[in-house]
């Protein structure tokens, strides 16, 4: 090529500067990332509820009394929620928790009635606690065994367990809540007692949460629980007994339902046979809102801690503004559907990333 032809060659066109991402696209990316932060979404929902009821009932909501009552009322559901977190992480479900709580409370209450009633001593109280824990653990482990060995879906197993446990409780009591089912010692200590101004109910729930939160996050048992929910076939190939682990997980759920029965007896002094029909709805709502995926393999006790206060705040707030009990149940159901929708959004976000 000659020098003249080189001179006549047109210069290469200048490259266009990189186009910055559109603002709308950037916002969508940020929202998708935020959707994956479970605890943030949960806290935003909780804060919005608190703000709404504070504005709707100024001076009546978010008082010291309300905060204490919310914490006490949420303590039982928090204990149940910890167990449900483990179950749902394994891609399971437990619809029977309210009935198991009732059955454990009835078993403990009947023993208390025949060994002193309201005037029973500390020895009887200790035996009642052990009975409630044993009944709950045994029922949960039995359901886990059916799920693990019978290959029956957890939804069906625990739905049957719901009816069977409630039926046994009604047979034992004739469908009536017995008077004197809880000893005065139990009520005055765990039910109404405080330490440094904090109710013992709240302290017990906090201890349970801390212990099993640490187990889930930092032990082999927690790792196996998460792994089973993610890929049970791979867990089996690694030589881990999935069935045995599921029995332990459902047994843990039953154990915490039994502990919830003790806490209920301490707080209310009765078994409340007809008062736990929506416990499963509230607890599952809290756990899913807290970021535990219904598809298994992902979840945290920290998210459940935040999520469990949403039904508690919702129920208390609706009472304060004078909404009927029936609408409270509707509201909790709507929140559950919203929680499942958010869970679906998070799942699709992870699949696209």
């Amino acid at each position: 090529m000659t020098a003249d032809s080189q001179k006549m060659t047109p210069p290469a066109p200048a490259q266009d500067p990189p186009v910055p991402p559109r603002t709308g696209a950037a916002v969508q990316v940020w929202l998708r990332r935020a959707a994956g932060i479970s605890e943030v979404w949960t806290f935003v929902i909780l804060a919005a509820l608190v703000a709404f009821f504070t504005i709707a009932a100024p001076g009546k909501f978010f008082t010291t009394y309300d905060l204490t009552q919310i914490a006490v009322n949420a303590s039982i559901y928090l204990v149940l929620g910890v167990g449900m977190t483990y179950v749902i992480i394994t891609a399971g479900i437990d619809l029977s928790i309210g009935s198991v709580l009732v059955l454990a409370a009835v078993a403990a209450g009947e023993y208390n009635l025949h060994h002193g009633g309201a005037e029973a001593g500390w020895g009887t109280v200790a035996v009642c606690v052990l009975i409630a824990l044993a009944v709950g653990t045994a029922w949960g482990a039995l359901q886990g065994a059916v799920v693990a060995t019978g290959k029956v879906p957890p939804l069906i197993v625990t739905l049957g367990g719901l009816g069977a446990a409630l039926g046994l409780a009604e047979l034992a009591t004739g469908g009536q809540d017995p008077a004197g089912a809880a000893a005065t010692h139990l009520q005055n200590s765990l039910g109404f007692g405080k330490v440094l101004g904090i109710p013992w109910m709240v302290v017990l729930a906090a201890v349970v949460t801390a212990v099993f939160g640490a187990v889930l996050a930092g032990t082999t048992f927690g790792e196996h629980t998460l792994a089973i929910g993610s890929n049970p076939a791979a867990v089996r190939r690694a030589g881990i007994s999935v069935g045995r682990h599921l029995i332990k997980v459902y047994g843990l759920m039953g154990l915490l339902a039994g502990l919830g029965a003790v806490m209920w007896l301490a707080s209310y002094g009765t078994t409340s046979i007809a008062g736990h029909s929506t416990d499963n709805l509230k607890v599952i709502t809290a756990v899913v809102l807290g970021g535990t995926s219904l598809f298994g393999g992902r979840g945290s006790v920290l998210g459940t801690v935040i999520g469990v206060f949403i039904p508690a705040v919702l129920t208390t707030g609706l009472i304060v503004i004078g909404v009927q009990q029936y609408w409270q149940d509707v509201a909790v159901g709507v929140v559950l559907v919203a929680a499942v929708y958010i869970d679906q959004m998070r799942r699709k976000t992870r699949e696209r990333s």
Side-chain angles (χ1 to χ4, degrees), residues 47-96:
L49 286 174
V50 171
F52 171 78
F53 288 122
T54 301
I55 295 172
K60 297 181 181 180
F61 186 77
F62 210 59
T63 63
T64 302
Y65 174 79
D66 283 333
L67 292 176
T68 302
Q69 288 301 114
I70 289 173
V72 171
N73 293 337
S75 60
I76 297 177
Y77 296 113
L78 180 55
V79 169
L80 297 176
V82 170
M84 187 66 76
T85 301
Y86 277 78
V87 171
I88 294 180
I89 283 176
T90 66
I93 200 74
D94 191 346
L95 301 179
S96 67

Side-chain angles (χ1 to χ4, degrees), residues 172-223:
T173 61
Q176 302 297 321
D177 294 311
T184 303
H185 287 314
L186 179 63
Q187 289 195 274
N188 289 340
S189 55
L190 178 60
F192 308 130
K194 296 182 179 181
V195 54
L196 300 177
I198 303 174
W200 273 112
M201 293 277 289
V202 177
V203 173
L204 178 58
V207 170
V208 170
T209 301
V211 169
F212 288 103
V215 169
L216 181 62
T219 68
T220 303
F221 185 84
E223 292 176 0

Side-chain angles (χ1 to χ4, degrees), residues 136-147 246-248 250-252 254-255:
T137 304
W139 195 273
L142 176 61
Q143 293 186 144
V146 175
V147 171
L246 287 176
I247 293 173
K248 293 177 182 178
Y250 281 88
L252 172 62
L255 172 69

Side-chain angles (χ1 to χ4, degrees), residues 310-329:
I310 291 179
V313 169
L314 186 61
T315 301
T316 302
L318 291 174
I319 292 173
V320 169
I321 64 176
V323 175
Q324 292 182 347
Q325 172 68 40
Y326 308 111
W327 283 109
Q328 295 171 31
D329 296 336

Side-chain angles (χ1 to χ4, degrees), residues 113-141:
L113 282 172
H114 293 87
H115 294 82
E119 304 302 322
W122 282 111
T124 299
V125 171
V127 173
C128 287
V129 171
L130 292 176
I131 289 174
L133 298 179
V135 169
T137 304
W139 195 273

